[in-house]
Amino acid sequence: MLRITEYIRKSLNGEKVRPFPGVILIWNLTNVCNLFCQHCYSSANTVRTDEITIDEIKQQIPYLKKARVKYLILSGGEPLLREDLFDIAQLFNENGFITTLSTNGLLINEKNIDLIKKHFSYVGISIDGDEETHDRFRGMEGAFRRSMEAIRLVRDAGIKVGMRFTITSQTYKSIPFIFKLAEEENIPKLYFSHLVYSGRGRNLTQAEKDDYRKIVEGIIEKGFQYVEEGRKIDIVTGNNEADAVVLYEKFKEKYPEKAELLYQNLKIWGGNQAGVRIADIDHRGYVKPDTYFPFKLGNIREKNFYEIWNSNGILSKLRQHPRPVKGRCGQCEFLDVCNGNSRSRAYAVYGDYFAEDPECYI
């Protein structure tokens, strides 16, 4: 994830960033969902089979610690459909993990808001455009209204909340609406996720390349605006680390005397972190380098997480810096910043995890 406003702010203040000291684990606790979203990387549905149990999760706690997992994102499917979600979150919290929730928000209500506040330090709720766009994209009339009600409820309960938006050819025209919504509703974080061709997302497309870069430039310009105005809205992007190159180029135009510090901060950040500082466990216990990889490293029902996370093979190549990528990515002068970008997208298009990223717009 590229923390755009944070990196602008810190570089202007003369501060060096610190790399995250451990691993961020996304745990997809269920593949059951109450929506049918067009971009769903896990192709979530209504069938509940073979889910990892809380006892199996408990067995992995010492191995997660040994592997330096610090931060957990509980996701799905829709994680609030797990009846034992709060017990799972409590288990993680008691063992010192920072635990957050990624949800569509439809099941957040007055009855469970206190439990959400008790167990989660942050809640990310998906909003993919204005009401018409969001409902169409998410496959349910009224989904936008209910998700917005959840955002307000979480915000008013004093829990940090953010909106998650996926950039596709069907949604990108709603980005100005999303910024306006965040400003009017006092939502402190916006996360813009680039499309990765996984699950049902294989059927979608990005915007055309010329438009695509302009979209990113617009998001980054908003980042500068928020920092310069002192507005407390953080902008983060994910799944296309080429955004860091545009951030650097824009920063160099505006603040040339401090551009070198930003560049060094971006190198410390390190670009794409799949298999490095990012891991994923799906609802059946399979470990992957990130949520989008079709490649499974192993299953925690057969080996513990630490053994899987320290195995050889694709992880060794993902952890090379710079990565041994091919094509345009291998020749790029900014490889040490983006780290080769999305390997999942490369595989989806070329059948090669180390081919160039087809959605690099640089």
Side-chain angles (χ1 to χ4, degrees):
M1 294 183 290
L2 177 63
R3 302 181 184 277
I4 290 171
T5 45
E6 178 185 331
Y7 281 25
I8 293 172
R9 193 179 298 114
K10 286 190 172 180
S11 298
L12 289 178
N13 290 338
E15 299 176 49
K16 267 203 166 184
V17 302
R18 296 179 181 180
F20 186 78
V23 174
I24 298 169
L25 173 61
I26 302 118
W27 202 319
N28 303 96
L29 295 171
T30 182
N31 205 46
V32 174
C33 193
N34 48 357
L35 290 177
F36 194 83
C37 305
Q38 294 184 30
H39 68 305
C40 182
Y41 58 78
S42 63
S43 298
N45 52 49
T46 59
V47 180
R48 172 168 278 166
T49 56
D50 206 23
E51 288 178 352
I52 287 289
T53 67
I54 189 169
D55 288 336
E56 289 173 314
I57 292 170
K58 189 173 184 178
Q59 291 171 13
Q60 294 301 315
I61 294 293
Y63 303 112
L64 298 181
K65 290 181 177 179
K66 191 175 180 182
R68 299 178 65 244
V69 172
K70 306 288 186 183
Y71 193 103
L72 276 138
I73 301 170
L74 303 189
S75 186
E78 173 47 56
L80 282 163
L81 286 168
R82 282 278 305 231
E83 294 82 358
D84 56 357
L85 174 66
F86 298 117
D87 295 326
I88 294 170
Q90 182 173 332
L91 176 65
F92 288 134
N93 290 329
E94 288 173 347
N95 282 279
F97 300 101
I98 300 168
T99 310
T100 69
L101 178 65
S102 179
T103 173
N104 60 42
L106 269 62
L107 298 176
I108 294 176
N109 54 50
E110 294 283 358
K111 293 180 180 179
N112 61 21
I113 191 64
D114 289 340
L115 284 169
I116 291 171
K117 184 173 184 177
K118 178 181 178 182
H119 293 297
F120 297 105
S121 60
Y122 171 80
V123 178
I125 298 177
S126 300
I127 296 288
D128 285 300
D130 56 44
E131 186 167 1
E132 180 183 355
T133 302
H134 178 89
D135 287 359
R136 183 174 62 250
F137 197 66
R138 294 268 160 182
M140 178 188 284
E141 186 175 347
F144 175 86
R145 176 182 52 79
R146 291 170 61 185
S147 293
M148 284 307 305
E149 288 171 357
I151 287 173
R152 295 180 187 115
L153 188 59
V154 173
R155 178 201 64 197
D156 294 346
I159 310 164
K160 187 174 181 182
V161 66
M163 288 195 299
R164 299 171 56 87
F165 178 96
T166 301
I167 305 169
T168 73
S169 59
Q170 295 160 300
T171 61
Y172 76 91
K173 291 180 181 178
S174 287
I175 290 177
F177 170 85
I178 293 295
F179 282 119
K180 185 178 180 183
L181 191 62
E183 293 163 11
E184 291 176 347
E185 296 281 351
N186 295 314
I187 299 166
K189 183 176 178 180
L190 291 173
Y191 174 74
F192 293 94
S193 176
H194 293 270
L195 179 66
V196 181
Y197 307 122
S198 178
R200 287 195 290 272
R202 288 192 295 262
N203 300 318
L204 300 181
T205 58
Q206 300 277 19
E208 294 297 325
K209 272 198 167 56
D210 288 345
D211 291 332
Y212 195 5
R213 178 162 180 143
K214 289 175 185 175
I215 291 164
V216 175
E217 288 175 347
I219 291 170
I220 289 171
E221 285 293 345
K222 268 292 185 182
F224 281 107
Q225 178 188 331
Y226 287 164
V227 171
E228 290 162 357
E229 292 177 355
R231 189 185 285 270
K232 294 182 179 179
I233 299 177
D234 287 324
I235 298 176
V236 180
T237 65
N239 303 317
N240 198 324
E241 287 73 20
D243 295 358
V245 178
V246 177
L247 173 60
Y248 170 68
E249 291 174 345
K250 292 289 183 184
F251 192 98
K252 193 173 181 180
E253 290 174 10
K254 292 174 179 285
Y255 305 103
E257 71 284 0
K258 296 189 176 181
E260 180 58 28
L261 176 58
L262 174 68
Y263 194 83
Q264 294 306 314
N265 280 337
L266 293 173
K267 288 175 69 176
I268 292 168
W269 163 65
N272 186 277
Q273 295 297 300
V276 185
R277 295 193 192 105
I278 298 288
D280 178 86
I281 302 178
D282 73 12
H283 67 289
R284 290 191 174 104
Y286 286 102
V287 180
K288 298 183 291 182
D290 71 15
T291 52
Y292 305 102
F293 263 76
F295 185 87
K296 298 176 177 68
L297 303 168
N299 193 295
I300 60 173
R301 285 171 167 156
E302 299 168 359
K303 288 185 178 181
N304 67 62
F305 180 81
Y306 179 79
E307 287 183 275
I308 295 169
W309 194 240
N310 284 278
S311 57
N312 294 317
I314 193 170
L315 287 177
S316 301
K317 294 183 75 174
L318 289 172
R319 290 169 185 169
Q320 291 182 43
H321 196 93
R323 287 172 174 164
V325 290
K326 306 168 188 173
R328 291 184 304 128
C329 290
Q331 308 296 321
C332 182
E333 64 179 303
F334 296 111
L335 181 57
D336 58 347
V337 169
C338 79
N339 202 23
N341 218 331
S342 173
R343 302 297 86 224
S344 298
R345 238 180 348 246
Y347 183 81
V349 173
Y350 300 115
D352 181 351
Y353 284 110
F354 293 91
E356 64 186 47
D357 184 334
E359 294 301 340
C360 180
Y361 49 81
I362 300 301

